[in-house]
Amino acid sequence: MTTTVNFATVPGHQVLATAGKKILRPGGKAATEQLLTWANFQPGETLLELAASFGESAIEIAKKYKVRVVGMEKNPDSVAKARENIKAAGLSDQITIIEGDIFHLDEMTDKFDYVLAEAILTMQSDVGKAKILSGVKNCLKPGGKFLSHEMLVRDNAEQVRKSLSESIRVNANPLTVSQWSNLCRDAGLTLQQQQTGNMGLLNLNQMINDEGLFGTVKIIWNVLTKPNLRHRVLQMRRSFQQQGKNLGYIVFISQ
């Protein structure tokens, strides 16, 4: 049965996914690759990925860095799909997907060398951010590292949040560099490395880098031929452009 998407109300990430976009991180693939390079993974180390979705990033990380990955995902349908993808990739002995809620990380008994979260904390309230980071701290081994890729606000925070809320239909709450650092500190984590840059989610050059030329053409075709989809995507693009000086991405490692 085909599910009809109400483009007027669904969150922005679902709109972009319907358009065919696979990379939904504000700094794109390049920012994530920088984050993973900093991590300096060693074969056999363990990583917990929060909100693992269909398991694509877990598969890429396991293949490239030879680490053992546990992916946590709340949606049971996504869990089932992720397990299918992992089995098809021949990595069932290296990747495990568990059904779980990122707000209950304190219930996890296993400890990990790394915890990875991308485009998750931004969408939470201040209380929600603190709750998740407290759980992250609980999941890390001594000396373990938290790897994060989130939205950054540079100035006019309230204006940025209002614009994002109207365009992506989610109460996004990006923070400044110092606020991200303080949030980690309050959870018992020390920010060690960081990189910031411009929001590039709907930038043509970044889309080509993230999705490939064929994937980008497919996304553009879907947007051009579906009026309701086009309205939402262009609304998000205008919001990102209008807030270009104030909105960006941050990747950071804290320990």
Side-chain angles (χ1 to χ4, degrees), residues 28-244:
K29 186 185 293 185
T32 294
E33 288 175 351
Q34 176 62 77
L35 182 65
L36 299 180
T37 298
W38 283 341
N40 191 29
F41 296 119
Q42 300 302 310
E45 289 185 321
T46 56
L47 177 142
L48 172 66
E49 181 188 12
L50 305 186
S53 187
F54 299 143
E56 288 101 336
S57 59
I59 290 169
E60 289 183 16
I61 292 170
K63 279 183 175 179
K64 184 172 182 178
Y65 298 103
K66 311 304 180 187
V67 295
R68 301 184 63 84
V69 181
V70 173
M72 175 178 282
E73 173 55 47
K74 186 177 182 180
N75 186 305
D77 293 334
S78 297
V79 169
K81 180 63 176 176
R83 288 171 177 165
E84 289 178 8
N85 290 339
I86 290 161
K87 183 177 180 180
L91 292 170
S92 297
D93 60 341
Q94 197 175 340
I95 306 172
T96 302
I97 299 294
I98 60 174
E99 186 176 332
D101 190 330
I102 60 175
F103 284 100
H104 297 291
L105 292 174
D106 54 341
E107 298 175 3
M108 294 277 291
T109 55
D110 292 340
K111 305 295 182 183
F112 300 86
D113 296 297
Y114 308 90
V115 175
L116 171 66
E118 294 193 274
I120 294 172
L121 293 174
T122 298
M123 303 308 171
Q124 315 302 328
S125 66
D126 291 341
V127 173
K129 287 178 172 69
K131 170 72 172 172
I132 293 170
L133 280 178
S134 174
V136 167
K137 173 70 161 50
N138 177 70
C139 290
L140 286 170
K141 295 177 181 179
K145 298 176 181 178
F146 174 53
L147 318 177
S148 187
H149 181 170
E150 297 292 343
M151 284 190 193
L152 173 77
V153 63
R154 298 186 178 95
D155 201 0
N156 296 323
E158 288 308 313
Q159 177 185 328
V160 170
R161 288 165 188 155
K162 183 175 185 294
S163 179
L164 289 175
S165 177
E166 291 172 351
S167 64
I168 67 177
R169 307 290 195 270
V170 174
N171 289 322
N173 183 26
L175 303 179
T176 64
V177 173
S178 61
Q179 287 172 328
W180 282 119
S181 179
N182 291 341
L183 189 71
C184 290
R185 181 200 62 204
D186 292 344
L189 300 165
T190 301
L191 196 148
Q192 293 187 317
Q193 287 178 289
Q194 67 185 45
Q195 174 179 290
T196 64
N198 295 328
M199 162 65 85
L201 196 58
L202 292 175
N203 173 276
L204 181 60
N205 288 335
Q206 181 169 308
M207 285 178 62
I208 293 172
N209 183 60
D210 288 349
E211 313 291 342
L213 182 59
F214 177 77
T216 301
V217 170
K218 180 180 177 182
I219 293 167
I220 293 172
W221 174 257
N222 288 335
V223 170
L224 291 176
T225 57
K226 298 175 181 178
N228 292 336
L229 176 64
R230 181 170 68 249
H231 175 75
R232 280 296 305 280
V233 172
L234 292 180
Q235 183 185 33
M236 284 188 279
R237 189 169 186 268
R238 282 193 300 270
S239 176
F240 295 159
Q241 289 177 330
Q242 290 167 359
Q243 302 302 327

